[in-house]
Amino acid sequence: MKRVSWQVAVGTAVGLALALEAVPALLRWLQGRKKRRPRREVLFFPSQVTCTEALLQDSGAAPRRRPPLAASAASAPSEPAVGCPCSLPHGESSLSRLLRALLEAKATLELCLFAFSSPQLGRAVQLLHQRGVRVRVITDCDYMALNGSQIGLLRKAGIQVRHDQDLGYMHHKFAIVDKKLLITGSLNWTTQAIQNNRENVLIMEDEEYVKLFLKEFERIWEEFNPTKYTFFPQKKSQ
Ligand code: ZN
């Protein structure tokens, strides 16, 4: 009788231990299920002015699953990301959340932007390019040459840029991260808009919308292929 209860006790203990072992796995499974809900985020501007250095330092923003490339490590500034001594607030802001969404890119980034002069967003795009993300930019021919435009710097860094040749503006303001995250809204990527204008930016993982925007990007990308540019306006035949 005594021996049987001893065996029952050991059996119960082993069973309990196994059940406890399974709890973390169960929690991970439940968390995984939660994560699969498509992301929907809205950012409103003007954004509070915050320090974005920690995000834009290569090590601080590097994706965890990928080892940093030697080239990007060499070009990263040497000052530490933590304990930044600048006088700006270091919390979250609409701009920092926009930067965070962009910096999630691991393979591709499509940008279709009317005006692009924000230095922080420019740095984020260059950082992604250094990490080996394939970046393609479509922009407006009139605005790409304005003072402070990031387009020249991006081209210099080796990023592909295409632009229109039309009288009408290439007025889109959207980005697609890894062909699965769409960032779109009224915001021009300029400091003036980020800090002063009332704007909205929608960040979403909705597959259907991503597909439609990607299709339009590819269509414009082909339409703006430099081999199709005309350098001397043809005279209308009368
Ligand atoms: Zn700072």
Side-chain angles (χ1 to χ4, degrees):
M1 193 67 179
K2 243 184 182 178
R3 183 175 287 178
V4 170
S5 62
W6 176 80
Q7 282 168 338
V8 167
V10 168
T12 310
V14 168
L16 201 67
L18 284 174
L20 283 173
E21 192 77 10
V23 166
L26 186 71
L27 284 175
R28 274 198 301 274
W29 179 73
L30 282 172
Q31 271 176 345
R33 270 167 61 102
K34 231 190 247 172
K35 261 182 217 159
R36 243 168 271 149
R37 230 183 102 207
R39 178 159 155 198
R40 291 178 189 126
E41 202 179 338
V42 189
L43 307 179
F44 292 111
F45 292 81
S47 172
Q48 190 200 356
V49 180
T50 56
C51 172
T52 51
E53 278 309 303
L55 272 173
L56 293 170
Q57 303 256 329
D58 194 34
S59 53
R64 266 172 231 157
R65 268 168 283 168
R66 272 181 64 169
L69 298 174
S72 56
S75 60
S78 54
E79 56 187 272
V82 247
C84 175
C86 84
S87 59
L88 290 173
H90 288 82
E92 283 287 290
S93 64
S94 290
L95 175 61
S96 75
R97 284 166 67 194
L98 175 59
L99 286 166
R100 227 178 264 282
L102 283 171
L103 289 165
E104 281 172 24
K106 288 174 184 66
T108 55
L109 177 67
E110 278 82 35
L111 298 176
C112 200
L113 298 167
F114 171 57
F116 188 175
S117 63
S118 158
Q120 287 101 326
L121 287 164
R123 271 176 68 189
V125 172
Q126 291 216 35
L127 202 56
L128 291 170
H129 172 67
Q130 285 165 16
R131 284 184 198 160
V133 171
R134 186 192 178 205
V135 182
R136 289 184 294 167
V137 183
I138 292 174
T139 191
D140 183 80
C141 66
D142 294 327
Y143 272 70
M144 61 188 265
L146 286 195
N147 246 355
S149 170
Q150 291 291 311
I151 298 298
L153 296 172
L154 298 183
R155 277 192 158 153
K156 224 178 196 172
I159 293 171
Q160 277 183 289
V161 178
R162 291 186 181 180
H163 60 81
D164 64 326
Q165 279 204 312
D166 310 328
L167 279 176
Y169 288 134
M170 202 313 293
H171 210 235
H172 285 302
K173 309 115 201 296
F174 70 85
I176 304 164
V177 175
D178 285 342
K179 306 205 190 297
K180 64 172 196 227
L181 187 70
L182 172 66
I183 302 172
T184 184
S186 63
L187 182 79
N188 281 320
W189 285 22
T190 67
T191 302
Q192 133 72 22
I194 290 165
Q195 293 184 1
N196 302 300
N197 294 359
R198 290 183 198 274
E199 311 270 6
N200 69 78
V201 169
L202 214 58
I203 300 177
M204 61 169 124
E205 259 178 351
D206 190 308
E207 246 177 78
E208 287 300 306
Y209 284 118
V210 172
K211 216 161 58 182
L212 291 170
F213 275 79
L214 200 57
K215 200 174 154 202
E216 182 63 3
F217 183 93
E218 296 296 355
R219 199 186 64 76
I220 302 174
W221 185 254
E222 257 334 292
E223 197 184 320
F224 293 176
N225 188 324
T227 61
K228 295 176 186 164
Y229 289 168
T230 49
F231 293 96
F232 304 100
Q234 283 154 4
K235 278 179 190 162
K236 278 180 193 161
S237 52
Q238 285 174 335

